[in-house]
Amino acid sequence: MDKETGKAFDFRLFKRLLRHVRPYQLTFYGVAIVAVFLSLFAVLTPVLVGEIVDNAITNKDADKLLVLILAMLGVLIGEVLSQLSFNYYANLLGESVIKDIRIKLFNHLMGFKMKYYDNSSIGLLVTRAVTDMQRIGEIFSEGFFVIVADLLKMLVVASVMIFVNWKLSLIVFALLPIILYATRQFQKAMKVAFIEVRSQVSNLNSFVQERLTGMKIVQLFTREQIEKEKFREINEKHQNAWLKTVWYNSIFFPVAEIVSSITVGLIVWYGGLQNVADINKEEYGTIFMFILLSSMLFRPLRQIADKFNTLQMGMVAANRVFKILDTNSNIEDLGTVEKESIRGDIEFSEVRFGYLENEEVLHGISFEVKAGDTIAIVGATGAGKSTIVNLLNRFYEINSGSIKVDQVDIKDYKLSSLRSKIAVVLQDVFLFADTIANNICLKDQEITIAHMEQAAMQIGVHEFIASLPGGYEYNIKERGGMLSSGQRQLIAFLRAYVSNPSILVLDEATSSVDTYSEQLIQRATEKITEGRTSIIIAHRLATIKKADRILVMDAGKIVEAGSHSELLQKDGYYKKLYEAQFLSEEVV
C-alpha cells in the first residue's frame, strides 16, 4: 500500500475501508438489496415491451395492451423508488464513513510530534483532511455500489437474453470481449493518471495556501511576478494531469459507443434477414427486446468504466489518508501520573537533544528551578533557549538525560496532565478567527466572561479589550489580523493567566512590541508570575533584571548562571551582552 502503482484495484486497501462500514452494516446491506431490485426492475421494461409488440399490438388486443402498460407503470414506479432509496442511502453511507475517518485522522494529527509538522506541508495535510476525504466518500456514493448494481444488471440481462433467444445472444456476446478489453486498459491507464492528478492537486493547494498566508512578504519584496510565474507552472502541471484523464475518456467512450451501435445493427440485420428469408422467423417483439437489452448490457460497461474512475480516485485518496493514519509520529503517552496541582519544581539533568539526527542542539543541559522562582534564559539566536520550552512541554523527545517536574520524570505524567499545568506565551502569538473571549478561554466552559474580565483587570488589559467594538465578543478575524502585534501579545498573556498554570513560560514575549504595549506587558508579567514558577526567555536584558536566576546560553550550553548583579560582576558573556545592548540603547 506504500507504493502507488497503476494496479487497477487494491483489494487489501478496499478491505481496510470496509472496516469503517461495520457501524453502518444495516445501511450497507440495505443498499445492496436495493441494488438487486434495481437490476430486476431495469430488465422488466424490455421484456414488457417485447410482450406488448408480440401479444398486444400484433394481435390488436386492447385489454392486454392496457394491462401491460399498467404493468410498465408499476415497474417504472418501483424503479424510481428503488433509485431514490439507492442514491440517498449510498450517499448517507459514504458521508458517515468519511465523517468517522476524518475524525480519526484529525485526532491522529493532534497527537503528532512537532517534528512531523516541521517536515510536512500544511497545504498537503489540508488536502488529505478535506478533498481526499470527499473522494473516499464517493467510493460508496458513486463508485462501489453503482458498479455492483450495474454488474448485477448485466448478469440479469445476459441471463434473460440466453433464456429468450440464444442465437441473438451470441451476436451480442461476440462483441462483448472488445468492450471488456477496452474497459480493462482504460481502468489501468486512469489509475496512473489519477495518481498524478492527486499529486498535482496537493501541490497546488500547498502553494496557494502558503502564498496567501505569506502575502505580506510577497508584496513587501515585490515577488508578485515571480510568484505568478511559479503559479502558472504549477497550474499548468495540474491542467496537464487532468487533460491526460480527458484524453483517455475521449478514446474509450467513442469506442464503446461504436461497438454498441454495431451490435444493434447486427441484431436488426440478423433478425430482419431471418424474417425476409422466412427461415426461423424472429418475432418483432424479441428483436425490439434485444435492441433494448443490448443497450442495457453495454451502457453499464461504459458507466462502470466511468464509475471506476471515481472508485480509483477514491482509492488513491484512501491510500494517502491511510498513510498518515499509519504514520507513527506520536509522542508516547504512557504516563500514569495525574495530579490536581503541582508545586512547580523543574529539573533538567544532562539533557541532550537535536532536531535532526547527529546534530545536537542541546549538549548536556542541567539546571534546577525551585517552585515559585523566576528564572531567565538569555543568549544569542540559535543558542537553544526556545528548545528548552519545547522539551518541557514534550513537543519533542530528548535524546538522553531527564526532565523532572516535582521530582517526577515528565514521561511519567499523562500528557494532558503535564501540559495543563504549563502555560506558554510565545513571541509569534497564534489567534483563531473567533471572538476575543473564545481566544482567551479556548472554549473552556469553566472560564466565564466574568472570570476573564476580572483577570484582565488584574493584569491591566481590560481597558484595551473594552475599547474594542463588542468588547470580549469582538471577532479578531484570521490569526488576529484586526489587532496589532502588541494587542495580540496582551491577549496571549491573558489566555495564559486565566488557565491558572503552575509553570509559566514567556518566550520572547516583548521582543516585537511598541513601548506602550511593552509597559502593559511588563505589568502583566509581574502579576502573572507572582507565586508561580516562571521561565522568561528574552533578548532585552532590561526585562529580566528582577529574575531570581539568569541562565546564559551559548551554542547549546549553559555558560553562566546567577542573578543580574552577580553576572555583571563577572567579566563574562552576560556582561558583554548587557554592555553591548545598553550601549546600543544609549546611541538610540
Side-chain angles (χ1 to χ4, degrees):
M1 193 172 65
D2 292 332
K3 188 178 179 182
E4 294 176 331
T5 67
K7 189 166 63 172
F9 192 78
D10 192 331
F11 285 98
R12 185 174 54 173
L13 180 61
F14 186 68
K15 186 178 178 181
R16 183 174 180 181
L17 263 178
L18 287 180
R19 293 177 200 158
H20 295 275
V21 177
R22 287 173 185 169
Y24 313 101
Q25 285 186 0
L26 186 62
T27 305
F28 180 86
Y29 290 122
V31 174
I33 291 169
V34 173
V36 175
F37 279 106
L38 272 176
S39 61
L40 293 175
F41 282 127
V43 81
L44 281 175
T45 300
V47 171
L48 287 172
V49 169
E51 285 294 310
I52 288 171
V53 172
D54 286 339
N55 299 318
I57 296 176
T58 304
N59 299 329
K60 299 180 180 180
D61 189 338
D63 292 335
K64 196 163 192 177
L65 178 63
L66 179 61
V67 171
L68 291 171
I69 290 296
L70 289 174
M72 283 189 68
L73 180 61
V75 169
L76 178 63
I77 293 171
E79 189 172 9
V80 168
L81 291 175
S82 297
Q83 192 67 56
L84 189 150
S85 301
F86 181 84
N87 290 340
Y88 177 78
Y89 286 105
N91 277 277
L92 176 64
L93 180 64
E95 291 299 322
S96 299
V97 168
I98 64 172
K99 177 199 69 175
D100 293 346
I101 298 177
R102 187 182 283 123
I103 290 172
K104 186 177 181 180
L105 177 66
F106 187 72
N107 291 342
H108 194 59
L109 287 170
M110 285 199 295
F112 278 172
K113 302 174 185 177
M114 288 300 109
K115 186 175 182 180
Y116 180 86
Y117 295 103
D118 294 341
N119 299 324
S120 300
S121 163
I122 299 302
L124 185 144
L125 293 177
V126 170
T127 300
R128 299 289 176 266
V130 181
T131 308
D132 283 343
M133 282 296 175
Q134 209 55 48
R135 297 296 185 191
I136 293 173
E138 289 170 0
I139 289 177
F140 298 99
S141 62
E142 299 179 27
F144 173 70
F145 283 117
V146 175
I147 292 173
V148 169
D150 284 343
L151 288 174
L152 280 172
K153 189 183 295 183
M154 289 172 62
L155 180 62
V156 173
V157 167
S159 300
V160 171
M161 280 182 165
I162 294 171
F163 179 78
V164 173
N165 191 311
W166 67 271
K167 292 180 181 179
L168 288 175
S169 299
L170 286 178
I171 294 174
V172 178
F173 296 158
L175 294 173
L176 197 58
I178 299 175
I179 291 288
L180 290 173
Y181 178 76
T183 301
R184 179 67 175 171
Q185 296 306 312
F186 177 68
Q187 290 166 356
K188 287 183 177 180
M190 290 299 282
K191 175 68 182 292
V192 176
F194 280 134
I195 289 173
E196 177 64 18
V197 166
R198 299 311 309 149
S199 176
Q200 293 306 326
V201 167
S202 297
N203 291 340
L204 187 64
N205 286 348
S206 180
F207 182 88
V208 171
Q209 183 172 18
E210 283 186 354
R211 269 55 185 185
L212 291 179
T213 304
M215 187 57 68
K216 185 180 290 185
I217 300 299
V218 172
Q219 293 182 356
L220 278 172
F221 290 89
T222 62
R223 297 270 301 180
E224 291 92 339
Q225 197 57 43
I226 295 173
E227 297 302 335
K228 282 179 186 177
E229 184 61 28
K230 283 185 180 179
F231 181 76
R232 188 194 63 77
E233 292 175 5
I234 293 174
N235 200 35
E236 189 172 325
K237 289 180 180 178
H238 178 263
Q239 179 195 33
N240 290 338
W242 273 109
L243 285 177
K244 192 176 289 185
T245 68
V246 172
W247 171 246
Y248 293 145
N249 278 294
S250 300
I251 295 174
F252 173 75
F253 286 103
V255 169
E257 195 64 43
I258 289 169
V259 174
S260 179
S261 299
I262 291 172
T263 304
V264 171
L266 288 174
I267 291 171
V268 174
W269 173 79
Y270 176 79
L273 193 63
Q274 294 292 83
N275 280 282
V276 169
D278 204 24
I279 304 171
N280 298 324
K281 293 176 63 174
E282 303 293 349
E283 294 181 333
Y284 294 115
T286 303
I287 296 173
F288 274 108
M289 184 196 307
F290 264 77
I291 290 172
L292 293 174
L293 288 175
S294 66
S295 296
M296 291 179 61
L297 188 66
F298 288 124
R299 190 185 308 119
L301 268 177
R302 298 197 298 272
Q303 290 177 348
I304 285 173
D306 190 34
K307 296 306 176 184
F308 211 92
N309 296 346
T310 301
L311 183 62
Q312 287 182 323
M313 288 189 75
M315 296 296 279
V316 171
N319 188 40
R320 296 184 171 191
V321 169
F322 285 142
K323 276 184 180 178
I324 297 177
L325 288 172
D326 292 337
T327 300
N328 184 20
S329 186
N330 297 61
I331 293 285
E332 288 187 351
D333 190 9
L334 304 177
T336 56
V337 178
E338 192 169 9
K339 294 185 177 182
E340 287 291 329
S341 62
I342 61 173
R343 295 187 307 276
D345 292 317
I346 301 172
E347 180 186 350
F348 275 61
S349 179
E350 289 297 319
V351 173
R352 294 182 176 273
F353 170 76
Y355 292 101
L356 300 175
E357 195 174 348
N358 301 322
E359 290 187 25
E360 276 192 355
V361 175
L362 299 182
H363 310 290
I365 293 291
S366 297
F367 66 89
E368 293 184 21
V369 186
K370 297 297 181 183
D373 281 359
T374 296
I375 71 159
I377 304 176
V378 300
T381 300
K385 306 184 297 297
S386 295
T387 299
I388 289 176
V389 178
N390 290 331
L391 297 181
L392 181 62
N393 280 280
R394 285 198 71 199
F395 287 139
Y396 300 86
E397 296 285 24
I398 60 177
N399 296 345
S400 63
S402 68
I403 303 173
K404 295 180 179 180
V405 173
D406 284 4
Q407 287 76 53
V408 178
D409 196 300
I410 59 173
K411 291 183 179 179
D412 295 330
Y413 282 97
K414 284 188 176 180
L415 262 181
S416 58
S417 177
L418 173 69
R419 291 175 179 173
S420 66
K421 307 299 186 297
I422 304 172
V424 181
V425 180
L426 299 171
Q427 175 185 356
D428 184 19
V429 178
F430 186 91
L431 298 177
F432 295 95
D434 207 332
T435 63
I436 286 181
N438 284 337
N439 271 285
I440 293 170
C441 70
L442 297 177
K443 299 190 177 180
D444 185 340
Q445 299 298 322
E446 295 182 3
I447 302 175
T448 64
I449 292 289
H451 186 188
M452 287 183 238
E453 289 178 349
Q454 183 181 7
M457 289 176 187
Q458 289 174 349
I459 65 173
V461 300
H462 175 70
E463 186 178 341
F464 137 64
I465 297 174
S467 67
L468 296 171
Y472 288 82
E473 297 303 319
Y474 179 63
N475 193 309
I476 57 178
K477 307 301 179 185
E478 189 171 357
R479 300 182 68 89
M482 302 302 290
L483 303 177
S484 69
S485 58
Q487 290 171 331
R488 289 196 295 271
Q489 202 69 260
L490 290 169
I491 297 298
F493 267 81
L494 185 53
R495 179 162 63 191
Y497 187 51
V498 298
S499 68
N500 193 27
S502 300
I503 299 172
L504 177 70
V505 179
L506 306 179
D507 189 356
E508 308 284 6
T510 62
S511 63
S512 60
V513 298
D514 56 82
T515 305
Y516 176 70
S517 295
E518 184 176 357
Q519 290 171 354
L520 288 176
I521 289 172
Q522 285 295 340
R523 176 184 168 186
T525 302
E526 291 175 8
K527 181 64 181 177
I528 66 177
T529 55
E530 285 179 6
R532 55 172 55 90
T533 306
S534 302
I535 300 175
I536 302 175
I537 297 173
H539 274 302
R540 299 184 185 181
L541 303 187
T543 62
I544 47 96
K545 289 180 181 179
K546 296 181 182 179
D548 297 304
R549 194 158 171 250
I550 299 172
L551 305 180
V552 184
M553 293 190 68
D554 183 38
K557 296 180 180 179
I558 297 175
V559 294
E560 290 180 309
S563 66
H564 176 69
S565 56
E566 289 172 349
L567 290 173
L568 285 181
Q569 291 174 8
K570 302 177 182 178
D571 189 20
Y573 189 96
Y574 181 82
K575 184 178 181 180
K576 292 176 182 177
L577 197 64
Y578 182 79
E579 287 176 348
Q581 206 171 99
F582 182 74
L583 181 62
S584 65
E585 289 176 2
E586 273 197 340
V587 170
V588 173

